[in-house]
Amino acid sequence: MKRTVLLALLVALGGGALAGITSDPNAGYVPSEPSRCGGVNLLTNLASSDPVLHGRILAAALTLENGQALLWKVEREGLSPSYLFGTVHLTDSRVREISLKTRAALRSAKAVLLETSDISPETTAAALVSAARTAVYTDGRTLDRLLTKEEFRKVQETIDRAGVPAASARIYRPWMISMMLSASNCERRRIREGEPVLDMALAQEARIHGIPITGLETAEEQIRTLASVPEDQQLGMLRANLALIDETDNLMETMVQLYLERRIGAVWELQMALAETAGVPPSAFDAFRQAVIVDRNIKMYETSRSYFETGGTFMAVGALHLPGEDGLVALLRNAGYTVTPVE
């Protein structure tokens, strides 16, 4: 669910393993630097190519509350401090480099909460088998009848490069195709070779220090969330993805740089702008945002509430779950906690 949807998913869904879906880990891989996949910052490029749009994105991003920090301290009188941390689900070494403040916060915890406690490709594959009926058409419809010939040709070519037989494209629902397109071939290869995403690096740090890890949801639940988006919106997002099919490395590099600069508020605004340039209106993302971000914020808060009530918790979830009036920072404040940015 990435490309234009890519930006949101990489900071909203524990999808490191999901991005590795392919039958051939070597398909289409072009070696790059060992620690990253390359690309350019599309937002930076907009400053010269379309300064008006660039300014609009930055201005809108600044209005998003709680959108300029990744590590938050969560306090209530009588409890040990807890922490809330926003992740991005990439293998890039720059985002995997855990800061000293984040490392100290994690090591101080009695419990670590992650979106999923196991995002290995094996677990994801098992979840996909379990949720198979949501991934393919079983009612006689086929994807080639829902897309234009040119769009479907792009689907076939792209999944073929990812190692999935092009002939099978017609049976898949749009959300599943988007998942297959969810990362560049370089990133997919890195995942299949065992390079950990940031969430896995945090889990490893917790295990080294003997801190128990709990998953807030399962890979199967995440997949069912993707499948719950109405099909017309799935198609709209897929079309936006296909229009930007050659920008994957650039989208991922943009995501990395926005994350490192703590400009989480710009992620959604940039995604909407890119979708509009592809002819897809922002309204095509309404159900996606509700299901993948807003509804999951509430579920994550409810699942984590007992941990915060005892203090000493380190909770790490996709960074898009933190900001906004319906984000986790706001939900915790509404529950009576003092939540302050650390970095």
Side-chain angles (χ1 to χ4, degrees):
M1 242 178 185
K2 298 149 184 168
R3 307 296 178 179
T4 55
V5 186
L6 166 73
L7 295 179
L9 276 192
L10 291 177
V11 285
L13 190 69
L18 297 181
I21 297 172
T22 173
S23 62
D24 180 4
N26 300 303
Y29 177 63
V30 178
S32 182
E33 294 182 51
S35 63
R36 63 189 68 171
C37 289
V40 299
N41 189 324
L42 295 176
L43 184 59
T44 300
N45 286 356
L46 277 179
S48 57
S49 65
D50 194 337
V52 174
L53 179 58
H54 180 265
R56 192 182 83 194
I57 291 171
L58 294 185
L62 288 175
T63 66
L64 182 65
E65 59 184 281
N66 309 320
Q68 287 78 46
L70 293 177
L71 181 64
W72 298 78
K73 192 174 187 177
V74 182
E75 299 175 284
R76 179 184 280 176
E77 186 176 353
L79 297 177
S80 300
S82 291
Y83 292 88
L84 178 64
F85 180 64
T87 69
V88 62
H89 311 302
L90 287 173
T91 64
D92 192 293
S93 63
R94 291 169 291 175
V95 303
R96 284 201 329 241
E97 192 172 318
I98 304 171
S99 73
L100 293 177
K101 289 182 180 179
T102 301
R103 199 179 299 273
L106 189 154
R107 291 179 180 179
S108 71
K110 297 181 291 186
V112 169
L113 306 182
L114 302 176
E115 283 188 45
T116 58
S117 57
D118 183 359
I119 57 174
S120 67
E122 293 78 14
T123 298
T124 303
L128 282 169
V129 170
S130 178
R133 288 184 62 83
T134 67
V136 299
Y137 287 110
T138 58
D139 57 4
R141 289 182 299 159
T142 55
L143 186 62
D144 56 320
R145 295 179 182 177
L146 301 174
L147 299 174
T148 67
K149 289 184 178 180
E150 176 62 17
E151 288 169 341
F152 188 67
R153 182 189 63 79
K154 285 185 178 181
V155 167
Q156 289 183 303
E157 289 180 353
T158 306
I159 70 168
D160 185 66
R161 288 197 297 269
V164 178
S168 68
R170 61 193 302 273
I171 70 170
Y172 289 112
R173 294 180 184 271
W175 74 264
M176 185 60 184
I177 294 294
S178 288
M179 284 307 308
M180 293 180 188
L181 311 184
S182 64
S184 68
N185 289 323
C186 170
E187 177 71 4
R188 186 181 295 109
R189 167 66 178 264
R190 286 171 57 78
I191 290 171
R192 293 295 294 261
E193 288 186 338
E195 289 289 336
V197 296
L198 173 56
D199 310 65
M200 296 171 71
L202 293 169
Q204 182 180 20
E205 181 77 9
R207 293 188 185 101
I208 289 173
H209 295 280
I211 305 170
I213 301 170
T214 298
L216 295 168
E217 56 192 5
T218 66
E220 183 174 347
E221 288 172 331
Q222 291 184 340
I223 289 170
R224 292 191 184 281
T225 296
L226 303 184
S228 72
V229 176
E231 187 169 273
D232 62 332
Q233 294 199 23
Q234 290 183 33
L235 282 168
M237 291 186 292
L238 178 56
R239 288 191 168 104
N241 292 346
L242 292 170
L244 293 165
I245 203 72
D246 297 322
E247 298 281 6
T248 311
D249 282 330
N250 295 335
L251 286 165
M252 298 184 80
E253 178 62 21
T254 303
M255 182 67 263
V256 168
Q257 293 193 28
L258 289 176
Y259 182 80
L260 295 175
E261 294 165 3
R262 307 302 192 251
R263 292 200 287 171
I264 302 306
V267 172
W268 189 261
E269 297 303 326
L270 176 59
Q271 174 171 297
M272 294 300 100
L274 292 174
E276 284 192 276
T277 64
V280 179
S283 59
F285 293 82
D286 288 347
F288 168 86
R289 183 182 183 278
Q290 185 67 41
V292 177
I293 300 176
V294 177
D295 291 348
R296 290 174 66 231
N297 288 350
I298 296 171
K299 292 178 182 177
M300 287 178 183
Y301 168 69
E302 291 295 335
T303 303
S304 65
R305 186 167 59 179
S306 62
Y307 289 89
F308 283 110
E309 288 174 350
T310 59
T313 294
F314 181 92
M315 179 172 168
V317 296
L320 271 186
H321 292 292
L322 275 56
E325 61 183 15
D326 44 24
L328 286 168
V329 172
L331 290 175
L332 285 164
R333 284 179 179 157
N334 292 341
Y337 294 94
T338 299
V339 187
T340 53
V342 177
E343 66 173 4

